[in-house]
C-alpha cells in the first residue's frame, strides 16, 4: 500500500512520454504530481492500477515496470472507449491513478527455482515486471526461460527489451511466429509447440503463463504433460473491473475477487474457480 | 430499557430530527405504497405501516450517486479532482430487523475487508438506528429462517417493540441511552420485557403458516450451495426463467454490486457516478474487447444465489447473505425469487 | 416524500414506477406494487430510466443554422424561422411539407402536432417515424370488430387457459408482459410459441414450433383448417356473432397438408394438436409483435381469423393482442398521426367527421389523404420542408433525401443525428417536466404528472406547438395539457369520457371511455356489439420465400431483436445500452448469424468477414456462428448504419413484410 490513500479518489499523474509498441498498443511513462519528485508509488510485480482518463472513465491495467529501478509506466492496448481516449492523449496530459491493487507474484516462495515464462502476444505485458525483477536477481533463481509467441514479427511486444533478453547471460529466450512470413527466419507455430522443442526443466520449476484463452489452454496441457504441477503454474487473470478494491464485485469469479484475491492465481486455483479463463 | 406511549413514539423521531436527517417508513399517498424515505417532517413517519417496499439500503448505498467531480483543462494541461462524499448525519427510524441485518452485511463487506470503502464509510459514520420489532409478520416474510428477525438483536441504537398502547424501548448503544435519558423516558420493568417476549413468540408462531416448508429448508440449501452439489440442470431451469432485469439485486438489503461511470458535465468537466449494478446482467462481467467469462444466464443466476446462500459468503457477512425480507419474490418477473429457488433445490435434494 | 408516481415511457407495456425526485433531478426509480399491469415489476430498461433522465445529451437551447452552422437562438427567433419556412409553402403543402411525428410524444403533444400540420400548415402528410407495422394490426382489428386496438386485456393474462406467442421475443421486447405470460404458464395455462428463432419464451413454453421464415401465415391457416375439419367450432357462436365465415373457409380450403409440412418445416401432428387445444380451451389469447417488427397484414388477418374461428374473441381471458414496442405507439394512432386518419381512427375521408373538426377548429381541413413521410422520402425528392419530432431511431434511413431538403426542423428533448441536417432545432421538456397522457398497448390511457421544472427554460411540447400556431396566426389559447385533453375528448368518441381530472390518482382508463362505458373498457366485448364482427378478408396464396441453387440461404432480417440497440433513448443510458447492445458491441460492423453447418461448409469461424450477395446487392459483415438459427437460414441484425442506409434500401419491398421479411442470398467468404 502506498502512503497516499488513493483507494477511492485517484491521484493525478502526468504523462511524461509515450512510446508506440505494436499496432494499437502504446506505453505511457508517468510521473506523480502530488508525490515528492514525482516518484511513483511502491508496488509488487503482478499488481495493477486503475487508470482514469479524464472525461472518458477508468480501467484496470497491469503494471509492466520492474518494482525495483524502472520508470513507472503502463502499457495499454486500445480495446474500448476509455483506452481509445487514452491513446488520443499526448505527453504532458494528465491521467488519474488509483492503486496499486492486487496480490502480486509470489517471489518469496519461488527462490532457487527454475522460472519459465510463456507469453502469447500482449500476454507479455503483465509478465514484464516479473521478468525484469527475476533478471535483476538472477542469482536467486535457477534456469530462466522465456517462450514468446506472436502472430507476426511486428506484433512482438517490447522489442527493445527482447533484444537485451536474447543476449542476457543465464536467460534463455525462444520466440515463435504463428505462420511463416518473409523476413522471419526464426521458429514458426504456436507457442506451446516450442515447449516440445526445448529441454524444459521440470523439477523445482515455476511457470508463468499469460495469453489469450486458446493459447493458455494449449500451454497448460503441454506443461502439465511435461510433469509440472498445477500449483507451479501461475497466471494473472483479467476481468472487467470497476473499483479495484473488492467492492463493486464486477471481477468476482467463483468465490474470489480478481482485484483483491488475484489477479495472480495458480492454475490449480483457476481450475476450481469454475468459470472460463 | 424504557417505555414510551404509543402516541408519543414519533417524538423520538422529532428529537432525532434536530441533529439528523430522519429516514423512516412513509406512505406515498397517491399509490398507497410504503417507502423508506427521508421524511420532510418526522410526523410523516408511521410505525404502523407495513414493511416498506424498499429496504433502507439506499440511504448508505444510493441508487445513483456522485462520488467525485473533476475538471481537466486540456490546453493548459491541468486536472483537478474534488471528492464528493456524503457524511451528513442520518437517522433511520422504524427500520425492520431484516433490513438492519442487511445493513450489517453491507457494513462487514464495505468496511471489514482488505480495503474500507470511503464512500460507504462517510454515509455510515454519523448514523442513528432505531429498529421496530415486527409483532406481526407480513405475507412474504421468512426472517425466522435466516436469523434476522422478527426482532433485532444487534446493531441498533434503540429498538422499539409495540406492546399495545405503548412501545418498549431497548437500548443498544451509549448513543441510544443518551437519547432516551435526554427525553426522560420512564424505565421499563420486567413485565414489559416479558410482554415483549410474548409478542415476539407469537409473531414467530405466525410464521408457521407463512414460511412454509420451502423456507425452512434454507439451511439444507445453504449446505448444498456451498458444496456445489447442485445439478447443473437445476441452475439451467432457474436461469431459463431469469428475465435479466436486475430487480432482485436492487431490492435486496444485502446486495451491493455497483457500476462506475464518468458522465461528462461540460466541455472540460465530468462527474464520477456510482450506480447500482446487477450480476444478472450479461454486460456486468463482459470485458472491454468482448470476452465474457460468465455468459450463460444460469452462471449469473448461480452467482447470485451463491452470494446469498453459501458459507463462504457468510464468512464475509458473519451471517447468511439472505435476510428473509422476501422482496425479491415480489419483484421478480421470472418467478425465481429466493424462496422459489430454495424450493427447486429442495426438490432436487429430495429426489 | 421524494418518490413520485409515474409511467415508464420506454415500451408499450406502460409499467408504473415511482421516481426518486430530489432537487432538480431524478436520482432513482422504484417499481409500483399497486399498478395493475406491472404489479411491482420493472425490466432492465425501466430499472435504469434515471440514467436517461440524467443524460448530458439533452437539447439545451433553440438553435438556428446560420452560414452552415447551428447557433443558439431564442424560442421566438427559432419559431419565426420555422413558421416562415412552412407558411410560404402553404399552397403546395400537400406536396412539399411533411411532419414526422414520434410514437414517444404524449397524446396531447401528438394531437397538437396533428392539428398544427392539418389546421395551420395545410398538409395531411403526417406519419410516425417507425414502420407502420402497428397500423396493419389496427386495420385488421378495426375492420373486424370496430375496435382499433388490442382486443384483449393484459390484466386478464392470468385468466387465459391457452396462450400462443407468435414471432415476438417478448421477454426482451416487452419483458413485463412476457413475465405475465410466463407466470400464467406456471399456474397451469398451456403456452405455445411459434417462432423462427429459439427465444426465451420458446424455452419457457410447453411447446415450441420453430417455423421456417415466412410461413407463420401457413401455420395459422393450417390450425384453422384442423379446427374446421374436426368440427371444433361453435356453430352457434359463428352464426350469431360473425360474418364473412364462408369467405375464410374457402380461402383455407386450398391448403394442402403436404405443402404445410414442407413450407413450415414443423411437425404436422404437433401443429394439429395445438390447433385442437386452442379450440377446446375455455379461454385463449395470442400475442404478436406490432410496430417496428410487425407481421404483414395477411398474416395478422389469419391470426385474427383463427382466434375468431375458435371463438376466442370478446370474452374475459380471450383476445387477439398485438404488442407495441414503443410507449405511445397506440396513442399516436389514436391521435390521428397518419395521412388518412383523424383521432380515434375516424377516417379523414369521412365528411361528417371532418366537419366536426372543421367546426371545432374553425378551419377547412384538406380532405385528400396525404402520404407517409417514409413513402415520400422513398419516392425521391418531392418533399421540400419537414418537421421531425423526437426521432426514435439513431439512424436516418433516407439520409440523402433529408440532406437535400430545403428546410428541416427538429423538435425534441434528446439529441439525435437529425440535428446534423436541421435548420432549426427546438428543445422541449422531457416527460417528467410536464403533464401528459400515454396510451399503452392495451389501450390504457395513463396520466404522467409533472415532477420537475423544465431545465433552463425549456418549454413543454404542447406549449411549443401552441407558440408555433399562434406565431402563424392561429388562436389556440391552451393553458394546460388538460385543456388539450378536453378537446381530444370532444372530438374523439373513444376518448369522450377521458379527462386529466378523471385520470388523476388512477392507474389509467382503457378506451373506449364514454357515456356507455364511463370507467373504460377492459377488453373487446361481444355484449352489446351493434353489428356482427367479421372475419378478415384474406387471400389463399400460400407462397413462401424460397431459396434457390444460386441463393441457397434465406436471410432473416432481425429488426425486433436489435431495435433497442440503436434506439435514440437507449443510446443515452449506460446499463440498458450495455445490456441491449451486447451483440453489437461484439460485432460493431454488424453480423450475420449462421448455423454451425453452414459455417463449416463455408470454412468460416466466428467473427470471420463474409460477403452477403442477394439478387439486388451485396454487403460485407462478420459471421456469428450460433445454433439459434436453423441450417440454410441466416439472421442479420438490422439497425447497422450501412445496412439501413444502403443494402436494405435496395430491398424495400421485402422489408414491408415486417417480421417475416426474408431475402434469398448467397454467403461467400471474403
Amino acid at each position: 500500500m502506498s502512503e497516499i490513500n488513493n483507494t477511492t479518489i485517484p491521484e493525478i499523474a502526468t504523462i511524461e512520454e509515450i512510446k508506440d509498441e505494436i499496432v494499437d498498443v502504446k506505453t505511457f511513462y508517468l510521473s506523480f504530481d502530488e508525490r515528492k519528485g514525482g516518484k511513483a508509488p511502491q508496488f509488487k510485480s503482478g499488481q495493477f492500477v486503475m487508470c482514469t482518463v479524464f472525461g472518458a472513465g477508468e480501467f484496470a491495467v497491469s503494471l509492466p515496470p520492474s518494482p525495483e529501478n524502472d520508470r513507472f509506466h503502463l502499457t495499454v492496448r486500445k480495446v474500448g472507449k476509455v483506452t481509445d481516449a487514452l491513446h488520443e492523449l499526448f505527453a504532458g496530459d494528465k491521467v488519474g491513478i488509483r492503486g496499486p491493487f492486487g496480490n502480486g507474484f509470489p517471489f518469496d516462495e519461488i527462490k532457487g527455482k527454475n522460472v519459465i515464462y510463456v507469453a502469447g502476444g500482449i500476454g507479455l505485458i503483465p509478465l514484464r515486471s516479473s521478468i525484469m525483477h527475476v533478471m535483476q536477481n538472477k542469482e536467486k533463481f535457477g534456469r530462466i526461460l522465456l517462450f514468446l509467441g506472436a502472430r507476426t514479427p511486428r506484433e512482438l511486444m517490447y522489442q527493445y527489451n527482447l533484444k537485451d533478453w536474447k543476449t542476457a547471460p543465464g536467460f534463455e529466450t525462444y520466440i515463435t511466429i504463428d505462420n511463416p512470413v518473409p523476413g522471419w527466419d526464426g521458429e514458426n507455430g504456436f507457442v506451446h509447440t516450442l515447449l516440445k522443442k526445448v529441454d524444459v526443466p521440470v523439477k523445482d520449476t515455476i511457470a508463468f503463463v499469460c495469453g489469450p484463452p486458446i493459447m493458455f489452454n494449449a500451454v497448460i496441457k503441454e506443461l502439465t504433460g511435461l510433469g509440472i504441477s498445477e500449483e507451479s503454474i501461475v497466471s494473472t487473470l483479467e476481468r472487467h473491473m470497476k473499483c479495484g478494491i473488492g467492492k463493486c464485485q464486477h471481477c468476482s469469479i467463483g468465490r474470489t475477487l480478481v482485484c483483491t484475491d488475484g489477479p495472480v492465481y495458480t492454475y490449480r486455483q483457476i481450475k476450481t474457480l469454475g468459470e472460463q479463463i | 430499557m424504557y417505555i414510551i406511549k404509543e402516541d408519543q413514539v414519533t417524538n423520538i423521531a422529532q428529537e432525532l430530527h434536530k441533529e439528523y436527517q430522519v429516514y423512516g417508513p412513509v406512505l406515498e399517498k397517491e399509490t398507497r405504497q410504503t417507502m423508506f424515505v427521508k421524511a420532510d417532517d418526522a410526523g410523516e413517519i408511521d410505525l404502523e405501516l407495513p414493511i416498506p417496499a424498499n429496504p433502507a439500503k439506499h440511504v448508505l448505498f444510493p441508487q445513483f450517486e456522485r462520488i467525485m467531480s473533476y475538471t481537466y483543462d486540456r490546453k493548459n494541461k491541468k486536472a483537478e479532482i474534488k471528492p464528493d462524499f456524503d457524511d451528513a448525519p442520518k437517522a433511520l427510524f422504524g427500520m425492520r430487523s431484516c433490513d438492519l441485518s442487511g445493513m450489517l452485511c453491507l457494513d462487514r463487506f464495505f468496511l471489514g475487508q482488505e480495503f474500507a470503502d470511503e464512500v460507504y464509510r462517510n454515509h455510515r459514520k454519523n448514523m442513528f438506528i432505531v429498529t421496530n420489532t415486527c409483532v406481526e409478520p407480513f405475507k412474504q416474510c421468512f426472517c425466522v429462517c435466516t436469523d434476522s428477525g422478527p426482532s433485532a438483536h444487534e446493531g441498533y441504537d434503540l429498538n422499539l417493540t409495540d406492546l399495545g398502547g405503548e412501545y418498549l424501548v431497548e437500548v443498544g448503544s451509549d448513543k441510544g441511552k443518551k437519547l432516551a435519558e435526554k427525553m426522560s423516558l420512564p424505565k421499563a420493568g420486567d413485565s414489559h420485557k416479558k410482554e415483549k417476549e410474548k409478542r415476539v413468540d407469537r409473531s414467530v408462531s405466525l410464521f408457521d403458516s407463512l414460511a412454509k416448508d420451502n423456507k425452512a429448508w434454507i439451511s439444507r440449501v445453504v449446505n448444498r450451495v456451498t458444496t456445489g452439489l447442485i445439478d447443473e440442470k437445476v441452475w439451467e431451469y432457474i436461469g431459463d426463467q431469469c428475465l435479466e432485469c436486475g430487480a432482485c439485486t436492487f431490492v435486496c438489503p444485502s446486495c451491493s454490486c455497483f457500476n462506475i461511470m464518468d458522465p461528462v458535465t461540460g466541455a472540460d468537466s465530468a462527474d464520477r457516478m456510482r450506480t447500482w449494478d446487477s450480476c444478472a446482467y450479461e454486460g456486468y462481467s463482459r470485458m472491454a474487447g468482448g470476452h465474457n467469462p460468465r455468459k450463460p444466464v444460469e452462471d449469473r443466476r448461480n452467482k447470485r444465489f451463491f452470494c446469498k446462500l453459501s458459507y463462504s459468503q457468510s464468512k464475509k457477512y458473519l451471517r447468511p447473505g439472505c435476510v428473509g425480507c422476501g422482496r425479491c419474490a415480489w419483484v421478480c418477473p421470472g418467478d425465481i425469487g429466493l424462496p422459489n429457488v430454495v424450493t427447486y433445490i429442495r426438490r432436487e435434494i429430495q429426489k | 416524500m421524494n418518490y413520485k408516481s409515474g409511467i415508464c415511457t420506454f415500451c408499450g407495456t406502460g409499467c408504473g414506477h415511482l421516481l426518486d425526485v430530489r432537487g432538480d433531478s431524478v436520482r432513482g426509480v422504484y417499481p409500483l406494487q399497486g399498478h395493475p399491469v406491472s404489479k411491482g415489476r420493472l425490466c432492465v430498461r425501466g430499472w435504469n430510466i434515471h440514467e436517461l433522465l440524467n443524460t448530458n445529451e439533452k437539447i439545451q437551447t433553440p438553435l438556428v443554422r446560420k452560414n452552415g452552422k447551428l447557433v443558439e437562438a431564442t424560442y421566438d427567433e427559432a419559431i419565426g424561422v420555422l413558421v416562415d419556412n412552412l407558411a410560404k409553402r402553404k399552397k403546395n403543402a400537400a406536396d412539399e411539407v411533411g411532419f414526422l411525428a414520434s410514437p414517444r410524444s404524449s397524446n396531447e403533444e401528438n394531437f397538437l402536432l396533428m392539428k398544427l400540420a392539418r389546421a395551420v400548415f395545410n398538409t395531411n402528410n403526417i406519419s410516425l417515424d417507425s414502420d407502420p407495422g402497428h397500423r396493419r394490426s389496427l386495420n385488421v382489428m378495426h375492420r373486424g370488430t370496430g375496435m382499433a386496438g388490442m382486443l384483449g386485456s393484459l390484466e386478464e393474462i392470468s385468466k387465459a387457459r391457452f396462450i400462443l406467442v407468435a414471432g415476438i421475443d417478448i421477454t426482451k421486447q416487452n419483458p413485463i408482459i412476457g413475465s405475465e405470460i410466463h407466470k400464467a404458464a406456471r399456474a397451469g395455462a398451456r403456452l405455445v410459441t411459434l417462432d423462427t428463432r429459439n427465444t426465451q419464451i420458446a424455452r419457457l413454453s410447453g411447446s415450441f414450433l420453430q417455423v421456417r421464415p415466412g410461413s407463420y401465415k401457413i401455420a395459422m391457416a393450417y390450425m384453422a383448417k384442423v379446427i374446421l375439419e374436426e368440427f371444433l367450432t361453435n356453430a352457434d357462436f359463428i352464426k350469431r356473432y360473425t360474418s364473412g365465415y364462408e369467405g375464410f373457409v374457402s380461402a383455407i380450403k386450398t391448403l394442402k397438408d403436404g405443402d404445410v409440412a414442407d413450407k413450415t418445416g414443423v411437425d404436422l401432428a404437433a401443429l394439429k394438436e395445438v390447433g385442437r387445444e386452442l379450440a377446446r380451451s375455455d379461454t385463449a389469447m395470442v400475442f404478436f409483435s406490432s410496430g417496428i417488427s410487425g407481421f404483414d397484414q395477411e398474416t395478422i388477418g389469419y391470426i385474427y381469423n383463427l382466434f375468431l374461428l375458435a371463438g376466442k374473441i370478446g370474452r374475459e381471458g380471450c383476445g387477439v393482442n398485438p404488442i407495441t414496442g414503443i410507449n405511445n405507439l397506440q396513442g399516436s394512432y389514436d391521435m390521428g398521426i397518419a395521412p388518412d386518419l383523424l383521432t380515434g381512427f375516424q377516417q379523414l375521408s369521412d365528411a361528417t367527421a371532418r366537419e366536426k373538426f372543421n367546426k371545432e377548429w374553425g378551419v377547412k381541413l384538406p380532405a385528400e389523404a396525404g402520404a407517409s413521410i417514409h413513402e415520400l422520402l422513398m419516392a425521391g425528392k418531392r418533399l421540400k420542408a419537414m418537421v421531425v419530432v423526437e426521432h426514435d431511431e439513431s439512424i436516418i434511413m433516407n439520409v440523402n433525401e433529408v440532406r437535400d431538403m430545403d428546410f428541416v426542423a427538429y423538435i425534441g428533448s434528446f439529441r439525435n443525428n437529425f440535428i446534423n441536417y436541421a435548420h432549426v432545432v427546438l428543445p422541449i421538456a422531457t416527460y417528467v417536466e410536464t403533464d401528459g397522457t400515454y396510451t399503452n398497448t392495451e389501450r390504457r390511457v395513463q396520466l404522467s404528472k409533472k415532477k420537475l421544472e423544465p431545465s433552463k427554460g425549456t418549454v413543454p411540447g404542447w406549449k411549443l406547438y401552441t407558440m408555433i400556431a399562434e406565431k402563424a396566426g392561429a388562436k389556440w389559447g391552451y393553458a394546460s395539457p388538460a385543456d388539450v385533453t378536453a378537446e381530444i375528448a370532444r372530438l374523439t368518441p373513444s376518448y369522450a369520457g377521458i379527462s386529466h381530472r378523471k385520470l388523476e390518482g388512477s392507474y389509467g382508463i382503457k378506451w373506449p371511455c364514454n357515456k356507455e362505458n364511463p370507467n373504460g373498457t377492459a377488453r373487446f366485448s361481444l355484449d352489446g356489439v351493434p353489428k356482427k364482427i367479421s372475419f378478415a378478408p384474406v387471400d389463399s396464396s400460400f407462397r413462401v420465400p424460397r431459396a434457390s441453387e444460386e441463393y441457397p440461404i434465406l436471410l432473416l432480417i432481425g429488426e425486433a431483436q436489435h431495435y433497442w440497440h440503436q434506439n435514440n433513448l437507449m443510446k443515452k443510458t449506460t446499463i440498458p445500452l450495455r445490456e441491449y447492445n451486447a451483440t453489437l458491441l461484439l460485432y460493431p460492423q454488424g453480423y450475420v448469424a449462421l448455423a454451425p453447418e453452414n459455417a463449416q461448409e463455408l470454412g468460416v469461424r466466428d467473427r470471420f468477414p463474409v460477403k452477403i450477395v442477394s439478387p439486388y446487392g451485396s454487403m460485407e459483415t462478420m459471421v456469428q456462428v450460433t445454433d439459434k438459427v436453423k441450417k440454410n437460414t441466416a439472421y442479420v441484425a438490422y439497425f447497422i448504419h450501412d445496412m439501413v442506409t444502403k443494402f436494405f434500401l435496395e430491398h424495400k419491398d421485402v422489408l414491408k413484410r415486417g417480421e417475416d421479411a426474408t431475402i434469398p442470398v448467397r454467403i461467400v467468404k471474403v
Side-chain angles (χ1 to χ4, degrees), chain C residues 448-519:
Chain C
S448 169
K449 296 281 286 177
K450 174 176 171 176
K451 297 171 182 67
L452 285 176
E453 280 308 316
S455 59
K456 296 185 182 170
T458 309
V459 305
W462 66 270
K463 182 122 197 206
L464 177 73
Y465 299 146
T466 306
M467 285 157 73
I468 294 172
E470 301 200 333
K471 186 101 183 170
K475 296 235 175 326
W476 280 12
Y478 303 106
S480 71
D483 284 357
V484 182
T485 304
E487 184 171 316
I488 295 169
R490 281 197 297 278
L491 291 167
T492 316
S494 53
Y495 279 67
I498 288 177
S499 68
H500 280 212
R501 226 178 70 199
K502 199 160 166 183
L503 289 170
E504 201 148 339
S506 81
Y507 292 118
I509 295 171
K510 297 204 273 184
W511 66 254
C513 172
N514 44 32
K515 249 187 229 138
E516 295 75 44
N517 307 287
N519 298 316

Side-chain angles (χ1 to χ4, degrees), chain C residues 153-215:
Chain C
S153 162
L154 296 180
E155 280 174 272
E156 293 175 7
I157 294 176
S158 61
K159 304 230 164 81
R161 302 300 306 151
F162 175 98
I163 298 173
L164 177 63
V165 175
I168 178 170
D169 189 359
I170 198 156
T171 56
K172 274 269 180 219
Q173 283 205 67
N174 297 64
I176 300 309
I177 299 178
S179 164
E180 222 30 35
I181 293 172
H182 169 52
K183 287 193 174 182
R186 283 181 49 88
R190 170 94 170 119
L191 174 59
V192 177
T193 293
L194 200 71
D195 209 307
T196 52
R197 289 156 300 147
N198 187 354
T199 57
Q200 182 176 23
I201 201 74
R203 290 191 293 283
L204 293 172
S205 294
S207 297
F208 167 42
L209 305 176
Q210 191 163 16
V211 290
R212 290 213 174 105
S215 67

Side-chain angles (χ1 to χ4, degrees), chain C residues 315-383:
Chain C
R315 287 185 288 123
E316 189 183 45
C318 290
V320 178
N321 303 329
I323 299 301
T324 55
I326 308 176
N327 67 327
N328 204 29
L329 186 56
Q330 176 66 42
S332 303
Y333 282 106
D334 294 346
M335 291 305 111
I337 302 293
D340 58 334
L341 293 180
L342 294 166
T343 61
F345 229 72
Q346 299 172 88
Q347 305 292 309
L348 182 70
S349 57
D350 173 355
T352 327
R354 219 168 48 236
E355 199 39 50
K356 182 170 61 176
F357 281 78
N358 284 343
K359 218 169 139 196
E360 175 78 30
W361 291 351
V363 295
K364 194 163 167 21
L365 291 180
E368 198 182 324
S372 85
I373 305 307
H374 198 62
E375 273 166 31
L376 289 168
L377 289 171
M378 283 292 192
K381 293 171 183 169
R382 231 172 86 198
L383 268 189

Side-chain angles (χ1 to χ4, degrees), chain B residues 10 13 22-26 37 39 41-49 93-94:
Chain B
T10 45
V22 178
Y23 290 76
V26 175
V37 291
D41 166 4
E44 285 182 335
I45 296 177
D46 182 356
L47 292 180
E48 308 270 296
L49 288 171
F93 182 79

Side-chain angles (χ1 to χ4, degrees), chain A residues 64-129:
Chain A
S66 155
E68 276 123 4
N69 50 354
D70 208 347
R71 284 174 79 189
F72 189 91
H73 64 269
L74 311 174
T75 302
V76 181
R77 182 162 71 116
K78 256 169 91 159
V79 281
K81 186 187 128 200
V82 186
T83 49
D84 285 1
L86 179 69
H87 274 237
E88 300 288 309
L89 297 185
F90 299 102
D93 281 335
K94 306 289 180 184
V95 293
I97 297 288
R98 294 192 293 124
F101 302 123
N103 57 356
F105 291 117
F107 285 117
D108 291 342
E109 296 160 33
I110 64 166
K111 263 182 206 154
K113 291 192 176 179
N114 303 308
V115 185
I116 301 176
Y117 293 101
V118 191
I122 56 163
L124 186 58
I125 300 172
L127 293 183
R128 183 185 179 276
S129 175

Side-chain angles (χ1 to χ4, degrees), chain B residues 33 53 240 242 264 282 333 344, chain C residues 30 33 56 179 186 200 579:
Chain B
Q33 182 160 322
D240 271 345
C242 177
V264 174
E282 188 189 343
Y344 302 145
Chain C
Y30 215 77
Q33 294 171 317
N56 52 25
S179 164
R186 283 181 49 88
Q200 182 176 23
E579 296 310 309

